[in-house]
Amino acid sequence: MNAYDEYMKQVVKPMRSELTDAGFKELITTEDVQDHMAKAGGISLIVINSVCGCAAGLARPAVVAAVNELEVKPDNLVTVFAGQDQEATATMRSYFEEIPPSSPSIAIWKDDQLAYFIPREQIESNSMETIKEHLSGVLSQIVSS
């Protein structure tokens, strides 16, 4: 590993832990993603994490707050990190390849298909509270249906 890679690993550590500390499982390899997608039942909330300060700095706390306020939670909370775990991210995106790559972004996977997707454009132009309310509303509908 070169000095830049080591530096970036340290830079993203708190960005990773913001989600993992809230109960999200990191999918770091292609195999992690394939295993999750093959075996996970129910609803998966998938966060495609990113270094981007503006959008990701809003997305992570909004997702955590949305999940925390739900009475009925998604069955699985998972995350891949765009730009860091590139193969895992590419593999995850292949499950909803009709959606242009976007990071950060939020996907809701239900019954082996994409149920909802929030792209970066709907994250970066909104407040953390608006993102949280949007995600909470969508999750509430999907989880209860």
Side-chain angles (χ1 to χ4, degrees), residues 58-73:
L58 294 169
R60 287 186 299 269
V63 166
V64 170
V67 169
N68 285 340
E69 75 176 21
L70 289 174
E71 286 183 33
V72 180
K73 314 256 189 251

Side-chain angles (χ1 to χ4, degrees), residues 36-42 95 109-115:
H36 171 77
M37 297 303 274
K39 295 178 182 171
Y95 287 90
W109 188 261
K110 180 181 181 183
D111 300 328
D112 293 325
Q113 63 183 355
L114 185 64

Side-chain angles (χ1 to χ4, degrees), residues 51-100:
V51 171
C52 168
C54 305
L58 294 169
R60 287 186 299 269
V63 166
V64 170
V67 169
N68 285 340
E69 75 176 21
L70 289 174
E71 286 183 33
V72 180
K73 314 256 189 251
D75 302 291
N76 308 286
L77 304 173
V78 296
T79 180
V80 294
F81 207 118
Q84 298 300 304
D85 304 322
Q86 295 176 5
E87 293 82 13
T89 303
T91 302
M92 182 58 80
R93 285 179 174 151
S94 75
Y95 287 90
F96 34 89
E97 57 192 1
E98 70 278 8
I99 305 288

